[in-house]
Amino acid sequence: MDVKPPNPPPVSRRQFLRDGSRAAALTGLGGLLGVLGTRSTSATTVWQIDPSKCLRCDRCATHCVLEQSAVKCVHAHAICGYCQLCTGYFVPEPSELNTGAENQLCPTAAIKRTFVEDPYYEYVIDEQLCIGCAKCVEGCNRFGNGSLFLQIRHDRCVNCNECSIAQVCPGDAFRRVAVQHPYLLKTTSH
Amino acid sequence: MGARERIEGAVSFLRVPRWLTLPSPSPRPSPQGEGIRGVALDQTNAPLLFQRGKRCSLSLGERARVRGNDAQNNAPAQNPAWTPDHDAPSKAFTTLGHFWPRIAQMAVVVLMLVFAIASFAEQRFPPPEFESGYALPETKTPPPRTLPFQYVDVAVLLGALVLASYLVLKKRSRNGVLALSIFSVVYFGFYRKGCVCAIGSIQNIALGLFDSSYAVPWVVTAFFIAPLAFALFAGRSFCAAVCPHGALQDLMLWKPVKVPAWLEQGLGVLPFAYLGAAVLLAATGSAFIICEYDPFVPLFRMNGSHAMLLAGVAFLLAAMFVGRPYCRFLCPYGALLRLASCVSKWRVTVTPDSCNRCRLCEEACPFGAIEEPTTAPTHWLALIGDRKRLAWLLALVPALMLAGGWFGSQLSIAASQLNPTVALAERFSLQAKTPVELGVQTAESLALMRAAQDPKALISQALEIRRNFRLGGWLFGGWLGLAVGAKLISLAVRRSRHDYEPNRASCFACARCFSSCPNERVRLGLMRRELPGSPAPQPAPAAAHTPN
């Protein structure tokens, strides 16, 4: 026999609590949406390196979540001096100024050196080979025009919620930029 | 020596001689990275600069200049790092003739100063004007891949949530949930690489709430709010088949073992602790630990650190025997969904009409979420013990929160180390107290040099963050105490259940139990009512009613 209270309440106590909590939670979510709405942005952002803050350590090569870092060296040809003795290309004391591996600063030989006209040589980065170790960037910035610099390549970057290189960057050079202008390219030397 | 001559020859080939291209000896005012090098180059810690890679990286002209400076300062021994014999050719160069080269070099330095000041705003090597019709190569800028996907992502999320809720609550179809799980793993997992995800969005929301300068992308806001809003109405349909993490573990499930209740309930506090820690670290702008230690995203990317890949594989292996270990015992977003689905409007019901109490569904649930019916107390006196216990626990909660808060505040100093600013400030003050000879230039020494530019601002910033951590530690500990207290209370509260019912909070809405229910099989026409082992449904016993 099913014994029911004489006057069953239209809403049980538990149901009432549940409905009330749900309403409160919805209000809370709405409030959250309101607060965030004023601050949130429809503009998607992506990570990028500010070349003026980059200290040319080698952490970009090793701390990216990708096996081969999304950070690569970029060459702003407009400010390159096309030097024959490129300090971004050659080791400090090269035995000869040629493309021999022992003379190259780049550990993966990612910089291609080609003769343009006397006495100018063109340097082009092979991004397939570049590992973002910043050795050439250091050489170019220290003694040259600084036309080599590191940038996050967005065809590789997976745009992590928090960039794992940014966490360990000694120069605090990583920041989020608007997706419409995803690169911070150098236009002037240094 | 042959090489040296060749280099000199090379230098003479350059349009602008190398020595003209050096930075001026006065420290440049630039506040950024270049300035650091300027300071390092021109002021006291010059040795640091020259040791990179244990190799003298000075060009000929630079060396001439360094020598010139030494001649001016009359302190050649101040610079021990470049003098050692790693530079034999240049030594020979200096000892050949001492006097005239010096004079010449001084003249060079003076000339260089003049030129350097004149050409201060220009670059060291002006771009050449080519005569051969050479065209400058363009700097390629491949666009980000994310832009077109954000609208699609949110649309797919909402569509999948609606579909999952429909499949579980209305269609009651395990196959549908399975298909949607596979789709989610493929789309949100392997295609979108597990990013953007609702679990990580907690941190963005926390940072957005506490740091007004941080703008939360609206996609992230949508990913945070939508599953929670759905959970308030339809339970954890997000976990069922939309979240790629959960779906992947669910698909891996092979032979589930029952986790003992004490372990299940004990580990059930972990997600809340993880949630608190993640919010604390995100709100202070320190780290996004949920993303950093996510075990499945490296698998989706098929790329990542070995430790995290191994953790992901370990979780998947565990998921073959323990249903959804990450969801149940770690997932911080699951903790929020758990709370939301406690008050959900509709819920998963095992049986379409009435329960036979055959326990088959309880056996079928791999997550231990189905609870047996309760027996009503025979006499009101039996309730007294329960109520006393409840009263004690309610009184215990503030004590737990206080104790937790104290515990959290003790942890706060250690936890603040996770903030990069605090860590740098600590290293800097340690270095200032007990200077350690920084050998080869490393990322750490570069960071210390950056810190040395404006130590006051850094220290005050670090102290501010540490204050936040102190408060945050109390709040985190209090939250932990509350979570433990609430768990104890939830275990002590007497619930009335007539039938075998999925627990609202811990049911993942995977739809496995439906097909285990004989009544459901009868409803679907898979089984005839008269078959042995499936007695006709009986009305629910009246004795199951309790006073509350």
Side-chain angles (χ1 to χ4, degrees):
Chain A
M1 280 291 288
D2 210 357
V3 183
K4 292 241 161 96
N7 288 317
V11 178
S12 76
R13 187 189 54 162
R14 280 185 184 278
Q15 192 58 40
F16 174 75
L17 283 177
R18 197 163 280 146
D19 287 346
S21 317
R22 185 176 335 115
L26 277 174
T27 317
L29 279 183
L32 187 71
L33 201 62
V35 172
L36 291 173
T38 58
R39 288 184 196 160
S40 82
T41 167
S42 61
T44 315
T45 54
V46 288
W47 291 102
Q48 195 47 274
I49 300 173
D50 186 345
S52 64
K53 284 183 164 186
C54 173
L55 299 183
R56 284 98 68 177
C57 66
D58 52 0
R59 286 190 167 167
C60 283
T62 50
H63 280 74
C64 184
V65 292
L66 299 177
E67 199 170 279
Q68 199 191 110
S69 176
V71 176
K72 305 268 178 193
C73 180
V74 168
H75 196 183
H77 290 275
I79 54 172
C80 178
Y82 287 81
C83 308
Q84 186 179 22
L85 172 53
C86 173
T87 47
Y89 183 80
F90 288 112
V91 292
E93 291 180 32
S95 60
E96 275 189 90
L97 289 185
N98 60 20
T99 56
E102 73 277 16
N103 301 325
Q104 290 189 30
L105 194 59
C106 181
T108 57
I111 309 180
K112 296 280 165 280
R113 179 182 198 250
T114 42
F115 176 73
V116 180
E117 63 181 63
D118 196 44
Y120 303 127
Y121 284 80
E122 182 200 62
Y123 299 91
V124 177
I125 310 286
D126 182 350
E127 284 196 6
Q128 289 294 313
L129 296 176
C130 179
I131 56 168
C133 68
K135 281 192 167 65
C136 60
V137 180
E138 171 69 7
C140 181
N141 274 270
R142 182 74 65 80
F143 304 118
N145 280 354
S147 61
L148 295 171
F149 54 97
L150 292 183
Q151 286 285 280
I152 294 172
R153 304 307 275 168
H154 290 298
D155 51 344
R156 295 189 51 76
C157 177
V158 288
N159 199 18
C160 296
N161 203 358
E162 187 189 48
C163 177
S164 63
I165 316 173
Q167 274 294 93
V168 295
C169 175
D172 198 18
F174 282 70
R175 64 165 200 249
R176 281 195 166 273
V177 295
V179 76
Q180 287 81 11
H181 306 285
Y183 290 92
L184 297 170
L185 297 177
K186 277 175 114 173
T187 47
T188 53
S189 61
H190 302 295
Chain B
M1 286 306 282
R4 171 130 327 267
E5 278 153 16
R6 268 196 295 282
I7 293 171
E8 281 180 72
V11 168
S12 69
F13 261 100
L14 298 171
R15 251 181 344 147
V16 181
R18 280 225 72 83
W19 40 264
L20 271 191
T21 67
L22 298 165
S24 60
S26 61
R28 282 186 292 169
S30 155
Q32 285 150 345
E34 198 49 46
I36 293 166
R37 275 151 208 276
V39 170
L41 187 67
D42 299 305
Q43 289 180 347
T44 48
N45 42 5
L48 252 184
L49 183 75
F50 302 133
Q51 289 180 352
R52 192 167 191 169
K54 290 279 183 209
R55 194 199 266 160
C56 179
S57 58
L58 292 182
S59 74
L60 196 60
E62 185 96 17
R63 228 170 265 139
R65 176 178 155 266
V66 170
R67 273 199 295 275
N69 277 352
D70 287 345
Q72 283 171 335
N73 299 341
N74 280 330
Q78 271 186 351
N79 206 345
W82 73 273
T83 40
D85 49 356
H86 60 247
D87 203 358
S90 82
K91 218 184 228 170
F93 186 67
T94 22
T95 46
L96 258 173
H98 243 303
F99 188 60
W100 285 110
R102 277 276 155 107
I103 296 286
Q105 281 158 16
M106 284 173 78
V108 161
V109 167
V110 170
L111 262 178
M112 185 199 75
L113 274 176
V114 170
F115 276 95
I117 290 163
S119 63
F120 187 70
E122 290 176 17
Q123 53 200 57
R124 293 169 181 166
F125 302 94
E129 287 153 19
F130 295 104
E131 287 156 9
S132 57
Y134 167 79
L136 290 182
E138 214 173 300
T139 307
K140 284 194 210 77
T141 51
R145 293 178 292 187
T146 47
L147 183 61
F149 291 118
Q150 52 181 354
Y151 305 100
V152 180
D153 283 343
V154 174
V156 172
L157 172 76
L158 292 176
L161 280 171
V162 170
L163 190 59
S165 307
Y166 167 77
L167 286 172
V168 172
L169 297 177
K170 192 92 182 132
K171 191 100 194 315
R172 299 170 63 86
S173 155
R174 170 68 193 157
N175 285 345
V177 172
L178 205 61
L180 189 59
S181 299
I182 293 171
F183 166 79
S184 296
V185 169
V186 170
Y187 182 80
F188 290 113
F190 289 102
Y191 180 59
R192 297 292 296 122
K193 311 272 185 236
C195 251
V196 55
C197 91
I199 307 173
S201 71
I202 298 168
Q203 304 161 114
N204 301 63
I205 300 294
L207 183 57
L209 284 179
F210 286 93
D211 178 1
S212 57
S213 67
Y214 176 76
V216 187
W218 73 269
V219 186
V220 176
T221 313
F223 264 76
F224 179 76
I225 299 235
L228 275 177
F230 265 80
L232 285 175
F233 289 93
R236 298 172 74 171
S237 51
F238 175 74
C239 298
V242 184
C243 175
H245 293 50
L248 184 66
Q249 292 172 81
D250 206 291
L251 292 173
M252 289 294 290
L253 189 61
W254 181 43
K255 282 202 187 308
V257 293
K258 284 250 177 287
V259 179
W262 61 269
L263 191 61
E264 168 107 37
Q265 300 294 345
L267 290 176
V269 183
L270 271 183
F272 292 95
Y274 194 21
L275 174 68
V279 167
L280 170 67
L281 288 173
T284 52
S286 307
F288 279 13
I289 51 169
I290 299 176
C291 298
E292 209 173 323
Y293 300 108
D294 190 300
F296 299 113
V297 167
L299 291 181
F300 291 139
R301 287 182 181 146
M302 299 193 196
N303 214 331
S305 72
H306 291 269
M308 287 329 290
L309 277 170
L310 278 179
V313 171
F315 264 109
L316 283 190
L317 286 179
M320 292 168 75
F321 305 102
V322 181
R324 296 183 179 236
Y326 184 81
C327 307
R328 278 154 90 188
F329 308 128
L330 217 51
C331 180
Y333 196 71
L336 289 177
L337 286 175
R338 189 176 263 272
L339 296 178
S341 65
C342 276
V343 296
S344 67
K345 190 167 177 65
W346 303 291
R347 61 181 300 183
V348 174
T349 46
V350 182
T351 175
D353 34 37
S354 58
C355 179
N356 290 342
R357 302 194 172 192
C358 63
R359 276 191 78 227
L360 286 174
C361 54
E362 195 195 16
E363 291 298 316
C365 181
F367 313 120
I370 293 183
E371 293 167 326
E372 56 187 11
T374 49
T375 49
T378 47
H379 195 264
W380 64 273
L381 278 173
L383 287 173
I384 285 180
D386 285 3
R387 290 191 171 160
K388 264 189 182 164
R389 189 164 58 216
L390 187 61
W392 274 114
L393 285 174
L394 281 172
L396 186 67
V397 169
L400 273 174
M401 287 173 70
L402 263 181
W406 180 82
F407 174 69
S409 71
Q410 296 303 302
L411 282 181
S412 66
I413 298 283
S416 69
Q417 297 280 344
L418 289 170
N419 186 294
T421 311
V422 176
L424 179 61
E426 294 233 327
R427 262 187 298 147
F428 179 73
S429 46
L430 194 70
Q431 172 76 10
K433 252 184 252 161
T434 51
V436 182
E437 189 58 46
L438 300 168
V440 177
Q441 201 169 38
T442 58
E444 263 91 24
S445 66
L446 286 169
L448 285 178
M449 279 200 249
R450 177 170 68 96
Q453 282 191 314
D454 194 358
K456 260 189 191 154
L458 179 79
I459 303 272
S460 69
Q461 212 182 341
L463 285 175
E464 174 70 32
I465 293 171
R466 190 166 267 184
R467 264 197 298 279
N468 291 343
F469 260 97
R470 204 159 191 84
L471 176 66
W474 274 100
L475 292 174
F476 166 71
W479 165 257
L480 205 60
L482 182 65
V484 173
K487 174 58 91 179
L488 290 175
I489 287 174
S490 80
L491 291 175
V493 166
R494 179 182 282 275
R495 309 254 173 213
S496 69
R497 279 183 300 273
H498 309 170
D499 304 334
Y500 278 91
E501 279 177 5
N503 182 305
R504 276 172 182 270
S506 49
C507 171
F508 289 107
C510 70
R512 275 194 184 84
C513 50
F514 298 158
S515 61
S516 73
C517 179
N519 288 342
E520 171 80 0
R521 294 178 77 85
V522 168
R523 181 182 78 89
L524 292 173
L526 296 170
M527 206 164 83
R528 285 194 313 170
R529 197 170 285 272
E530 311 83 67
L531 278 176
S534 63
Q538 294 155 1
H545 281 289
T546 49
N548 57 355

